[in-house]
Amino acid sequence: MNLSEILNSLDASWERNKILLKIKKGTNTDEIVNEFLAKNERQIKELNSLLGPEYFDLLNQIEQLSTCESKLINKIKNLNYLENNEKDHIFSEKKILPSNRASFNKISSFMINWSNKFVVIALLAISAIALSKQAWA
């Protein structure tokens, strides 16, 4: 088998919809990975024999991209919770503190919201750049 045949075979074996269904059913992610490795052991060994050192750098970069995307998903998932929690906190401070303190809260809330949006935009830009570099490689 050549490299593209092996990659296509492994890609077909790793169907995201089926993986997502397994996760929804409560299957542990380690079990999913180990099952995939066991089912595709021959192709994976052949793939490792065909890959040179330059591919391992690419695999490390793809792993870092996946980690970055995972963190981005986590931030997006928690963003609504944090915003709601901030609003409740600011509302409770307005009840307790004098009105001149409220303007400071508005400024800090503004800065927190914009810094969160900046981080999300920066992570999306980094992901887009990495994916485009990977596509042209």
Side-chain angles (χ1 to χ4, degrees):
M1 261 190 192
N2 66 24
L3 185 60
S4 72
E5 289 174 343
I6 293 171
L7 292 174
N8 287 335
S9 171
L10 290 174
D11 189 43
S13 296
W14 186 264
E15 293 182 49
R16 293 177 69 104
N17 291 335
K18 288 183 180 179
I19 302 299
L20 187 58
L21 285 174
K22 288 180 182 181
I23 291 171
K24 286 180 180 179
K25 290 179 182 177
T27 306
N28 187 332
T29 54
D30 289 330
E31 286 179 47
I32 294 169
V33 170
N34 290 334
E35 180 183 316
F36 176 80
L37 292 173
K39 284 183 179 178
N40 299 290
E41 183 178 3
R42 184 180 58 80
Q43 288 101 333
I44 292 171
K45 284 182 179 179
E46 198 170 333
L47 178 66
N48 277 335
S49 69
L50 293 173
L51 293 180
E54 67 276 3
Y55 287 104
F56 289 109
D57 289 337
L58 178 61
L59 289 175
N60 284 334
Q61 291 169 357
I62 292 171
E63 181 182 14
Q64 289 174 352
L65 174 63
S66 295
T67 302
C68 183
E69 289 172 343
S70 174
K71 288 179 181 180
L72 176 61
I73 291 168
N74 234 346
K75 293 269 186 187
I76 291 170
K77 182 177 76 174
N78 293 326
L79 189 62
N80 281 338
Y81 170 76
L82 292 175
E83 286 178 354
N84 290 338
N85 197 12
E86 278 178 27
K87 288 176 185 174
D88 292 343
H89 180 69
I90 290 170
F91 183 69
S92 65
E93 280 185 0
K94 284 182 181 179
K95 286 182 183 176
I96 298 170
L97 298 174
S99 62
N100 63 349
R101 180 84 172 149
S103 63
F104 176 75
N105 286 336
K106 288 180 183 177
I107 293 170
S108 66
S109 175
F110 172 79
M111 294 302 289
I112 289 170
N113 285 335
W114 274 102
S115 66
N116 286 342
K117 289 177 184 176
F118 175 76
V119 168
V120 169
I121 291 169
L123 288 174
L124 287 172
I126 290 168
S127 295
I129 291 168
L131 286 173
S132 64
K133 282 185 178 181
Q134 181 184 355
W136 288 105

